[in-house]
Amino acid sequence: MKPNKIQNSLSQRLDTTLKDSHDMKAFGMGTLASMATKERYVRFTTSLYGVYSTMENELDKCCGHSSNPNPAGAEQNSIKYHNSPVAFFWKRHSEILRRAELLRGDISALTELGSGYDHDESSHSQATLQYINAIKEAGAQDRADGSGRLLGHVYTRYLADLMGGQVLGTPTRLALRLDKGMPQQYSFSFPTDRKAYVESIYRDFNECGKIMNDENVLLEEVVEEARGAFRHNIEVYSEEPIITDSVLGLKNIVSGYMFHN
C-alpha cells in the first residue's frame, strides 16, 4: 500500500488538506500573473525566497545548527534534536529539497544587484511577513516541545514543487525570455526518479508520525499547520492584482512558445 493511503497516517492526513485548503485557482492564476513582466516575477520570487530561506533556517535550527546560532539560548537545550520528527525528516531530505539559494540565484540573475542580493525582511509585503512569522512560530514551538509543526510547511511548499512546480520551469523561461537554465528554482537532482522520491517523502512523513507515537493531537497539529500554510500561500499569490496579470502571463507563454518554434 502506498504510504499516503495508509489510514490515519500522517501522509494520509496531510493529503486531506489538498481537498479542503488548497485553492488551485489562486495558485494557478497567481503563478500566471507572476509571468506578466520580469519585474512582477522578481517581486513574486523575492516573496518565495523570504518564505524558503526562513523555513530552511528554522528546519536547520531543529537539527541543532543554524546560520544564526544562539548557544546560550534556552531553546537550544530544550529537546534532543536527533529525536525530533523535524530533525529526522530534514536530515534525510535537506540536500535535495533546499530551494532558497536557487531562488536567490534567480533573483540575482534578473536584477542589477547580481550576486550582491541579500535577504531584507523589511522589504517584504505584509502577506509575506505574516507567512514568515508563522513559520518562525512553528519552528520555535517544535524546538520547545519536540513537535512537528514545521512538517506542515514542508508538505505545503516542497510537495507542490515536486508534484507540479517542475512543469513551470519551461513556461516561465519562455514567457519571460529567460536564459537557458533559468529559472533554477524548479531544478531537482533525484537519487532515482521523481515518483520514487515523492513516495520516499510520504514514507518519511509516516516515520515522523511514528516518532510522535502517532498521537492524534500531535498529528493534527501538523495538519492544521499545513492548512494555515495554504492560507498564507493564497494571500501571497493573490496580494497583487492577478486577473489582468494572469491573462498577460498566459499571453507571454503563448508568444514565447511561438517565438521559440
Side-chain angles (χ1 to χ4, degrees), residues 83 109 130 132 187 194 255:
N83 294 328
Q130 289 174 352
I132 286 172
S187 300
R194 184 192 63 84
S255 64

Side-chain angles (χ1 to χ4, degrees), residues 68-199:
N68 296 297
N70 180 24
E75 71 176 13
Q76 285 274 35
N77 301 314
S78 59
I79 65 168
K80 293 182 178 178
Y81 294 109
H82 297 292
N83 294 328
S84 78
V86 175
F88 169 84
F89 182 91
W90 192 234
K91 287 179 179 179
R92 293 172 68 87
H93 296 284
S94 61
E95 184 176 343
I96 294 173
L97 293 181
R98 289 185 190 274
R99 300 289 96 190
E101 285 308 303
L102 296 176
L103 287 159
R104 186 175 185 270
D106 287 341
I107 296 167
S108 297
L110 292 171
T111 64
E112 295 179 356
L113 294 172
S115 60
Y117 175 77
D118 198 10
H119 182 203
D120 180 8
E121 280 193 13
S122 65
S123 66
H124 286 308
S125 66
Q126 188 64 30
T128 304
L129 286 173
Q130 289 174 352
Y131 193 177
I132 286 172
N133 288 335
I135 294 170
K136 288 181 177 179
E137 289 173 9
Q141 194 64 45
D142 286 347
R143 291 188 294 280
D145 60 17
S147 55
R149 292 172 180 83
L150 278 175
L151 296 174
H153 292 279
V154 165
Y155 175 86
T156 304
R157 284 302 335 163
Y158 293 121
L159 262 293
D161 294 333
L162 292 168
M163 301 296 283
Q166 279 199 293
V167 304
L168 298 175
T170 297
T172 302
R173 178 172 57 82
L174 295 177
L176 299 175
R177 308 292 200 272
L178 303 180
D179 294 336
K180 187 176 180 179
M182 292 281 291
Q184 303 175 66
Q185 64 163 303
Y186 301 119
S187 300
F188 287 90
S189 296
F190 299 117
T192 51
D193 60 74
R194 184 192 63 84
K195 185 176 180 181
Y197 182 68
V198 169
E199 189 155 323

Side-chain angles (χ1 to χ4, degrees), residues 20 32 47 49 74 78 100 108-109 118 134 155 159 193 201-202 213 217 221 252:
D20 61 34
L32 283 174
S47 288
Y49 175 71
S78 59
S108 297
D118 198 10
Y155 175 86
L159 262 293
D193 60 74
I201 292 277
Y202 276 120
N213 297 316
V217 172
E221 284 179 350
N252 286 344

